[in-house]
C-alpha cells in the first residue's frame, strides 16, 4: 500500500529536530510531503519561500520527500494532495496537550485523516525553532540546534557574522 504522509509545520526555521522526523518518516511512508504553513503568524523570521528553499536543500538526499506549502485548513490541504496521514513530532509531555487538541480537531473535521506521532530523537528533544531564534538573537551558539545552512541564514537575518 502506498501511503502519502503530510508533515506540516511552521519550520521557522527548520531544526535538527524537524530533520530527524523527516528522515524517519521517509522510511515509514512511501511519500512524505513536508508542508510549510503560510500566514499562520505574521512575525516569522523567514518568509514561506525562504523556509521552503531551506527545506528543499536539506531534504535533497531523500527521494520520497518533497516540500510544499499550504494556507487555510490543514485537513483540506491533506485532502487535496490525496494523503490520509499527518505526521507530527512529539518532544515532551508539554507538546502533548496542544497536539492532542489538534489531532482530535482534525479528526472531527476530517475523519479519514489520521495523525501519526513520532517521538523526536532524545538528542533533539530540547530543540525548538523558538528556542533557536531566541538564542541566536541573544548572541548564543546554535550549532547543535540547526544545520549550518540554516545557521548562516539566521545570522545573516540578525546581522551577525558568527
Ligand atoms: O510547527 P507548528 O507551528 O507547531 O505547526 C502548527 C500547524 C501549522 C501544523 C497548525 O497550526 C496547523 O495545522 N495550521 C493550519 C490551520 C488549521 O488547520 N488549524 C486547525 C488545526 S486544529
Amino acid at each position: 500500500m502506498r501511503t502519502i504522509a503530510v508533515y506540516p509545520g511552521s519550520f521557522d526555521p527548520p531544526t535538527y529536530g524537524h530533520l530527524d522526523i523527516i528522515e524517519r518518516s521517509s522510511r515509514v511512508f512511501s511519500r512524505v510531503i513536508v508542508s510549510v504553513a503560510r500566514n499562520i503568524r505574521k512575525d516569522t523570521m523567514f518568509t514561506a519561500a525562504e523556509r521552503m528553499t531551506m527545506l528543499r536543500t536539506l531534504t535533497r538526499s531523500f527521494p520520497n520527500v518533497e516540500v510544499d506549502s499550504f494556507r487555510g485548513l490543514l485537513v483540506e490541504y491533506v485532502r487535496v494532495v490525496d494523503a490520509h496521514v499527518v505526521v507530527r513530532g512529539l518532544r515532551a509531555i508539554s507538546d502533548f496537550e496542544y497536539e492532542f487538541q489538534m489531532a482530535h480537531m482534525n479528526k472531527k473535521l476530517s475523519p479519514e485523516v489520521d495523525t501519526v506521532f513520532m517521538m523526536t530523537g532524545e538528542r533533539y528533544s530540547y530543540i525548538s525553532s523558538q528556542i533557536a531564534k531566541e538564542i541566536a538573537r541573544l548572541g548564543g551558539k546554535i550549532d547543535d540546534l540547526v544545520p549550518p545552512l540554516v545557521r548562516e541564514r539566521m545570522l545573516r537575518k540578525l546581522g551577525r557574522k558568527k
Side-chain angles (χ1 to χ4, degrees), residues 8-11 18 37 40-41 70 72-75 88 98-99 101-102 105-106 109:
S10 306
F11 304 106
H18 293 131
I40 295 291
R41 291 174 213 101
F70 73 102
L73 279 183
L74 173 63
V75 288
R88 293 286 290 170
Y98 170 61
E99 294 296 337
Q101 190 182 23
M102 206 159 66
M105 197 61 233
N106 284 337
L109 290 167

Side-chain angles (χ1 to χ4, degrees), residues 1 4 17 24 40 50 56 60 63 90-91 123-124 147 153 155 159:
M1 195 171 90
I4 306 172
R24 285 161 53 213
I40 295 291
E50 288 171 328
R56 284 209 176 102
R60 235 180 352 213
L90 266 188
R91 284 164 304 194
R123 49 196 281 236
Y124 308 112
R153 292 181 189 206
L155 298 188

Side-chain angles (χ1 to χ4, degrees), residues 21 88-93 95-96 99 117-121 125:
I21 300 291
R88 293 286 290 170
L90 266 188
R91 284 164 304 194
I93 302 284
D95 282 342
F96 186 77
E99 294 296 337
F117 292 105
M118 276 198 179
M119 298 294 291
T120 306
S125 60

